[in-house]
Amino acid sequence: PILTLKISPQGINIDFYRVTREEVAAEQQRRASDLDRSETLRTKMMRDRDAGIGMRIYHYTVIRVRFPDGVYLQGTFSAHDTVESVFKFVESSLRHPVTFSLIIPGSTALKR
């Protein structure tokens, strides 16, 4: 037996245009989900999340603090830690208590 395929004038197999039940069900589910989303009020953050913007999830971050004498202090923090925890980390690493400020690139000082 020889297998024959019906080819459309554009050179594409006719079966390409046939839709399976699973594809119809998935499309219906997607449309129902889109309709639910469009009917509710959503914040910009919610819309961005759905659009895939900012989807990278960080679990931790590495913070380096450079002291005026050129010494670096590095610590690993949870992504949910606050700026206060960075201040406490730096304070716990100092021999003598001293007043200091943390400045991020761009010359912006962090506030406690």
Side-chain angles (χ1 to χ4, degrees):
I2 297 175
L3 178 64
T4 60
L5 297 174
K6 295 180 185 175
I7 304 293
S8 70
Q10 293 82 18
I12 298 175
N13 185 344
I14 299 295
D15 290 334
F16 175 79
Y17 297 104
R18 289 202 179 100
V19 181
T20 65
R21 286 182 181 179
E22 292 80 18
E23 291 172 327
V24 171
E27 180 65 16
Q28 178 61 28
Q29 179 65 30
R30 185 189 63 77
R31 287 184 182 191
S33 174
D34 288 349
L35 181 63
D36 286 344
R37 260 193 228 109
S38 69
E39 290 177 343
T40 58
L41 293 175
R42 302 171 55 75
T43 65
K44 181 176 181 346
M45 184 170 42
M46 294 166 79
R47 290 190 307 270
D48 288 348
R49 184 183 63 223
D50 288 344
I53 299 171
M55 288 299 291
R56 179 175 270 177
I57 298 173
Y58 294 100
H59 299 286
Y60 66 91
T61 184
V62 176
I63 304 282
R64 286 191 189 126
V65 178
R66 183 173 52 91
F67 291 99
D69 61 355
V71 174
Y72 284 89
L73 174 66
Q74 178 174 307
T76 303
F77 298 87
S78 166
H80 304 289
D81 281 344
T82 61
V83 173
E84 181 62 28
S85 62
V86 177
F87 275 97
K88 287 180 181 178
F89 173 71
V90 173
E91 285 175 345
S92 70
S93 301
L94 297 174
R95 277 189 218 157
H96 308 289
V98 63
T99 306
F100 65 91
S101 60
L102 297 176
I103 301 173
I104 60 174
S107 302
T108 304
L110 295 177
K111 294 181 179 152
R112 290 187 137 182

